[in-house]
Amino acid sequence: MGEFKVHRVRFFDYVPSGVRCMAFSEQTERLAVARSDGSVEVYNFPANYYQEKIVPGDETRSTESICWVAGGRLFSAGLNGEITEYDLQKQCVRYSVDAFGGPIWGITASPSGSHLAVSSEDGSVKLFSINPESVVFEKNLDRQKGRILCLAWHPSGSHIVTGSVSVIRVFSVSSGHQVQVLTVDRRPVSGRNRDCVVWSVAVLSCGQIVSVDSAGRLQFWDLEKGTLMRSYPVASCDLLCLAVSQSEDSLVVGTSQGVIYQFQHLAVQEGKAERQWVSTKPFRHHTHDVRAVAHSSNALISGGVDGQVVCRPLLEKIPEQSYEAALRKITFPHRHLVSCAQASRLLLFQFPEHLELWRLGETHESGVDGDILPVAREQELLLQLKRKGSESIRCSAISRCGSWVSYATSSRLFLHGLRYDNDDISISRVPKVPQPPTAALHLLFSPDSMRLYVGSEGASVHVLDLTEGSWQHSHTLQPPAASPDPVHLLAASADGSLLAAACPSSQIDIYNVKERKFRCSVPQYTSPPTAISIHPSTNNLVMAHADQQVLEFSITQKQYTDWSRRVLQHGLHRDWQERDTPITGITFNPSRPGDILMHDNYMFCVLDKSLPLPDDKTALVNQISLKHLSERARRSQAHAFKITRKYQPLLFMDLLDDGELVLVERPIRDILAQLPPPMKEKKFGT
């Protein structure tokens, strides 16, 4: 596997922002997740749940509810009282419209996709018509006393049902008048009646209203008669969210104790038409409140205060026990929040509000495999750079020499110069940085630190020259055919002559930087790339895709390499393909040109191209067993993949210029220690 001095970095104090709400689109098979910091993420389910888009947050934007509209348009609303539509190609807010009703607690689209309904703090439900370029206010429904916390459309679009404190109301969309008032029973607490909060509602095609409330009850109501039909005491805590499957034969609720419950609509007796809702086994995959749930055609999806997005497949919807039947927990972003200055041994950590620059520790000792070496110089926090304005930091980068730091928000690009004087460091902001014509989505410095590459929309890359005193936008690299897709990955060759730019649509374009022109494109693959890197000696482009495929493309010959063709013909090991986290980092070891270093959140891998690929009958992770064999037996059983799971969760990996390996970990227990305490449960004997 090769020997490295490993910097096991655990001082990246990253904590994922909590999930506030989510929405799943059956039409596009995309999941939208809104977090507490105002950011919105879009996951591509057909592409192995890959996080393909991220709209950065903003302090002025609060998201309480989110919904999809036909055509793949995404809307949200929040406590700032505005309706927001997102531009998913540019990954930013397209526009915001004031609803003039105070804070908004819920937003939902009509079944036909022609209207939006929002519930406001002032007790009103407002209807907006959806136009190609904006939304336009149409009318108010009857205003009620007190805030409206949730709402839902009847599948026919004829009625809107709302939930608030101790009451559920039904409105006619055509007339705008209230037609039913359903009173929700209060529950006694300490001898007094406490108001019961209706947290979420849904409406079934048969005319039944489904509600969950702070009394821990799931209730079914008759919309026409306004009567309670059935009540299920689910938990002794608040039921905070509710989602119904498109076929209306299953629903899921989330609780403030971190548990989700599924109810299925099953036949009372085989062969008879009568059906009833039956609770299945509860699932506890969260440590804190479950604030949002969604229901796809074959999975339950949940998220909450702990920041995890959990996808639990419905085994009865999956024909056989296969890869699709595995539980998935998405805890960390599918992109790097860390960048490395390999020559100066510096790490740059990205947070939504600031950047941190750290100097790595040093040791003067050497040892054998497994030794923990004494540290001669501890790691050191050199500076903390706070963002300008209210917008969260979208992307950041540090140059290889450590003399430049750049970051971008949704609207601006910032550049800072760093100077070092022994142990002292000074930072100066470059004034009047030339702003690229379009928003910066990904940043990368050239190996010689003389240029800054800015990946942007339309698959284009803007190039900024960093000559001292004359910073300017030099030119823009564009593909031969216009594309609406944004750049989300960049990779530069070690000699600075080549640049590769990748888009979530699997489009990968390669440019000759010195000649300022397009060189070639990689044949478009079926799955989006998750990591790319150019080999320092061969200039071959290595790509990892969301379906766990690893490919190598010869830029010189403009075709896949012979090794890559062997991979496609032989196929990768089943255990490799069934991993549920994407490869997010690729680099190379100059002392062993045939090795490819890769990582995902739960493994570090050295892929030796000189060795044969393993078949499914061979153990993929076999390094420990090989140590106990003779040299001859070890050579006969060795294969290309050398994997260790010692370091996890692994957020970043890179190789310093002196050959030392940097691995940045973020243990789950450290994240949980920084979250607010979960709801206390009274247990027997305590």
Side-chain angles (χ1 to χ4, degrees):
M1 188 169 186
E3 291 186 358
F4 302 97
K5 280 187 178 179
V6 178
H7 292 266
R8 196 170 182 177
V9 175
R10 288 192 170 187
F11 45 84
F12 180 28
D13 205 18
Y14 168 77
V15 178
S17 181
V19 174
R20 292 293 302 172
C21 52
M22 60 174 59
F24 182 75
S25 171
E26 293 283 357
Q27 180 184 8
T28 61
E29 294 188 90
R30 299 297 194 273
L31 175 72
V33 176
R35 295 188 179 269
S36 300
D37 61 359
S39 62
V40 174
E41 304 162 357
V42 177
Y43 294 85
N44 184 344
F45 275 34
N48 204 8
Y49 300 77
Y50 181 58
Q51 186 188 65
E52 63 179 8
K53 301 179 188 299
I54 299 178
V55 179
D58 192 312
E59 281 185 354
T60 63
R61 187 170 68 247
S62 167
T63 305
E64 288 293 324
S65 186
I66 194 166
C67 69
W68 291 97
V69 174
R73 296 174 69 177
L74 184 62
F75 291 86
S76 74
L79 301 184
N80 59 358
E82 295 180 339
I83 299 172
T84 299
E85 183 177 6
Y86 298 94
D87 189 323
L88 297 181
Q89 295 298 335
K90 300 179 181 179
Q91 299 184 34
C92 64
V93 171
R94 187 180 179 190
Y95 62 83
S96 293
V97 175
D98 196 330
F100 297 102
I104 299 174
W105 293 97
I107 184 171
T108 183
S110 64
S112 64
S114 61
H115 288 80
L116 286 174
V118 297
S119 57
S120 304
E121 178 77 13
D122 66 355
S124 64
V125 175
K126 301 176 186 294
L127 295 185
F128 290 78
S129 60
I130 302 174
N131 297 333
E133 298 300 325
S134 63
V135 295
V136 178
F137 173 75
E138 188 168 295
K139 67 177 180 179
N140 277 323
L141 306 187
D142 285 349
R143 184 173 175 178
Q144 306 301 314
K145 184 179 180 181
R147 67 182 62 163
I148 299 178
L149 298 174
C150 55
L151 76 168
W153 288 81
H154 191 286
S156 66
S158 60
H159 294 83
I160 290 178
V161 177
T162 67
S164 53
V165 179
S166 300
V167 67
I168 297 172
R169 294 184 172 91
V170 182
F171 296 87
S172 169
V173 174
S174 58
S175 67
H177 297 312
Q178 175 180 293
V179 296
Q180 290 286 1
V181 179
L182 315 177
T183 304
V184 181
D185 289 340
R186 302 177 179 183
R187 66 168 177 171
V189 178
S190 301
R192 297 181 302 170
N193 284 341
R194 192 178 77 175
D195 288 335
C196 184
V197 180
V198 178
W199 287 118
S200 185
V201 293
V203 188
L204 306 181
S205 301
C206 62
Q208 294 183 13
I209 301 170
V210 190
S211 69
V212 292
D213 54 44
S214 60
R217 296 170 304 196
L218 170 70
Q219 296 184 315
F220 292 82
W221 308 78
D222 188 300
L223 184 147
E224 295 294 333
K225 299 178 181 178
T227 56
L228 177 64
M229 300 174 63
R230 289 176 301 279
S231 180
Y232 297 90
V234 178
S236 59
C237 61
D238 290 46
L239 304 186
L240 299 175
C241 45
L242 164 70
V244 181
S245 66
Q246 190 174 36
S247 58
E248 297 186 357
D249 60 353
S250 173
L251 61 86
V252 58
V253 298
T255 74
S256 60
Q257 291 179 344
V259 184
I260 64 172
Y261 294 85
Q262 183 199 8
F263 283 76
Q264 291 180 296
H265 203 211
L266 303 175
V268 175
Q269 189 174 351
E270 188 175 356
K272 293 190 176 181
E274 184 183 357
R275 291 176 173 268
Q276 67 179 15
W277 290 94
V278 179
S279 175
T280 62
K281 182 181 178 180
F283 309 115
R284 186 176 192 121
H285 303 305
H286 298 273
T287 58
H288 291 66
D289 298 13
V290 178
R291 302 300 302 268
V293 290
H295 207 310
S296 70
S297 59
N298 58 8
L300 309 178
I301 311 158
S302 58
V305 175
D306 60 8
Q308 291 189 112
V309 176
V310 179
C311 300
R312 182 177 184 87
L314 299 174
L315 300 182
E316 68 273 10
K317 300 286 187 180
I318 299 172
E320 59 183 14
Q321 295 294 323
S322 61
Y323 178 54
E324 288 73 21
L327 174 73
R328 294 172 178 270
K329 290 187 177 182
I330 304 172
T331 306
F332 301 101
H334 295 165
R335 61 190 175 103
H336 280 161
L337 299 176
V338 181
S339 52
C340 180
Q342 296 90 343
S344 52
R345 304 170 61 86
L346 301 176
L347 290 179
L348 183 70
F349 297 151
Q350 176 185 320
F351 298 88
E353 303 87 6
H354 68 277
L355 303 175
E356 289 183 0
L357 183 65
W358 288 77
R359 178 185 285 125
L360 289 168
E362 295 182 12
T363 183
H364 304 308
E365 304 293 331
S366 60
V368 297
D369 184 22
D371 285 353
I372 300 176
L373 304 180
V375 177
R377 180 175 181 176
E378 295 284 345
Q379 72 272 6
E380 181 183 1
L381 176 61
L382 299 180
L383 64 86
Q384 186 179 93
L385 179 61
K386 295 184 178 180
R387 70 185 180 195
K388 296 292 182 181
S390 62
E391 295 177 333
S392 296
I393 297 174
R394 181 203 296 274
C395 52
S396 60
I398 186 171
S399 63
R400 189 178 190 87
C401 63
S403 58
W404 298 103
V405 168
S406 179
Y407 74 91
T409 63
S410 293
S411 60
R412 293 199 63 187
L413 174 68
F414 298 87
L415 180 65
H416 293 77
L418 300 176
R419 294 186 181 276
Y420 305 91
D421 184 11
N422 296 324
D423 290 337
D424 296 329
I425 181 173
S426 61
I427 183 170
S428 58
R429 179 182 169 187
V430 175
K432 299 180 180 178
V433 176
Q435 298 298 313
T438 51
L441 303 179
H442 190 80
L443 301 176
L444 177 70
F445 285 95
S446 62
D448 60 5
S449 304
M450 299 300 292
R451 291 179 296 275
L452 175 62
Y453 302 121
V454 182
S456 187
E457 60 188 87
S460 61
V461 180
H462 307 295
V463 182
L464 274 65
D465 284 336
L466 303 181
T467 307
E468 186 70 27
S470 61
W471 306 283
Q472 60 181 351
H473 178 267
S474 173
H475 57 282
T476 299
L477 301 172
Q478 293 182 327
S483 170
D485 294 309
V487 172
H488 80 300
L489 295 172
L490 291 171
S493 61
D495 59 7
S497 63
L498 298 171
L499 179 71
C503 302
S505 63
S506 303
Q507 176 181 344
I508 303 177
D509 301 310
I510 301 169
Y511 301 92
N512 187 316
V513 177
K514 294 181 179 179
E515 297 180 4
R516 300 186 177 186
K517 66 179 184 180
F518 171 81
R519 175 79 178 257
C520 62
S521 290
V522 179
Q524 197 153 355
Y525 190 64
T526 56
S527 182
T530 63
I532 60 174
S533 187
I534 299 178
H535 196 284
S537 57
T538 64
N539 276 350
N540 289 341
L541 177 67
V542 177
M543 304 154 288
H545 293 268
D547 64 354
Q548 311 299 354
Q549 188 66 265
V550 179
L551 300 173
E552 185 182 42
F553 180 80
S554 172
I555 300 176
T556 304
Q557 300 178 2
K558 299 182 180 180
Q559 63 181 9
Y560 285 119
T561 63
D562 292 338
W563 177 84
S564 190
R565 296 180 191 278
R566 287 200 303 272
V567 170
L568 292 172
Q569 183 178 6
H570 181 277
L572 296 177
H573 197 283
R574 181 186 61 229
D575 292 344
W576 176 270
Q577 293 180 318
E578 291 184 355
R579 292 178 303 106
D580 59 1
T581 55
I583 295 292
T584 53
I586 299 176
T587 190
F588 306 95
N589 185 0
S591 63
R592 294 177 59 90
D595 289 355
I596 302 172
L597 279 61
M598 302 179 289
H599 83 92
D600 64 13
N601 287 151
Y602 299 103
M603 68 94 199
F604 169 69
C605 173
V606 177
L607 198 162
D608 188 344
K609 295 193 297 179
S610 65
L611 294 177
L613 295 169
D615 55 31
D616 289 346
K617 297 179 181 179
T618 306
L620 180 64
V621 183
N622 63 350
Q623 295 303 299
I624 296 178
S625 61
L626 289 180
K627 287 183 178 181
H628 303 293
L629 301 178
S630 64
E631 183 67 26
R632 182 176 180 180
R634 191 181 302 126
R635 284 197 301 268
S636 65
Q637 296 188 27
H639 57 69
F641 289 89
K642 303 174 178 63
I643 296 173
T644 178
R645 294 196 175 104
K646 179 180 179 180
Y647 312 101
Q648 57 176 299
L650 191 55
L651 301 189
F652 179 79
M653 171 272 299
D654 206 349
L655 207 61
L656 301 179
D657 284 356
D658 58 9
E660 296 178 359
L661 186 66
V662 178
L663 299 176
V664 179
E665 298 176 275
R666 185 57 173 154
I668 298 294
R669 64 177 181 271
D670 294 348
I671 295 176
L672 296 178
Q674 294 187 325
L675 295 177
M679 182 179 189
K680 184 178 180 180
E681 275 188 82
K682 177 67 176 177
K683 294 185 179 180
F684 178 77
T686 61

